[in-house]
């Protein structure tokens, strides 16, 4: 499974960006895709996640009311809509996938548990 994150860029405070994560080679219908970010000098932070198993989602407190996650199951794409961006949102954003290698099951958005595959990251810079 290979993940490709895209959609980052430079935006002014209050602006919006939509990040995309394309999961190629993901043949399972049971997976969770999460978004993480890491700012310089800071630890990686789980931002959001969506599970294909039950459609459940996770949003970090810092993202509540501003970010929204969605997916296109057929295309194995996940999107992170980020509105009202703030300078503290500046970071490299990574998408990651956790998935069933065989059979069926529920794959949850446990942001503290290991993810199986990671993308290369996309830079988001919020600055005036």
């Amino acid at each position: 499974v290979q993940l490709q994150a895209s959609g980052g860029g430079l935006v002014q405070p209050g602006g919006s960006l939509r990040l995309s994560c394309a999961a190629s080679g993901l043949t399972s219908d049971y997976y969770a895709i999460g978004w993480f970010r890491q700012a310089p000098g800071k630890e990686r932070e789980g931002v959001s996640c969506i599970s294909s198993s039950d459609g459940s989602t996770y949003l970090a407190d810092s993202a509540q009311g501003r970010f929204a996650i969605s997916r296109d199951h057929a295309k194995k794409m996940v999107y992170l809509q980020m509105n009202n961006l703030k300078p503290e949102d500046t970071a490299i954003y990574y998408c990651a996938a956790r998935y069933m290698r065989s059979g069926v099951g529920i794959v949850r958005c446990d942001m503290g548990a290991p993810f199986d595959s990671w993308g290369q990251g996309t830079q988001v810079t919020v600055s005036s």
Side-chain angles (χ1 to χ4, degrees), residues 18-34:
R18 189 176 84 149
L19 304 185
S20 299
C21 178
S24 60
L26 181 56
T27 58
S28 175
D29 287 333
Y30 305 95
Y31 58 89
I33 292 181

Side-chain angles (χ1 to χ4, degrees), residues 92-113:
I92 299 175
Y93 284 69
Y94 301 89
C95 59
R98 180 186 297 131
Y99 48 89
M100 297 283 292
R101 286 173 170 76
S102 63
V104 300
I106 296 177
V107 181
R108 301 190 187 280
C109 282
D110 181 351
M111 305 301 278

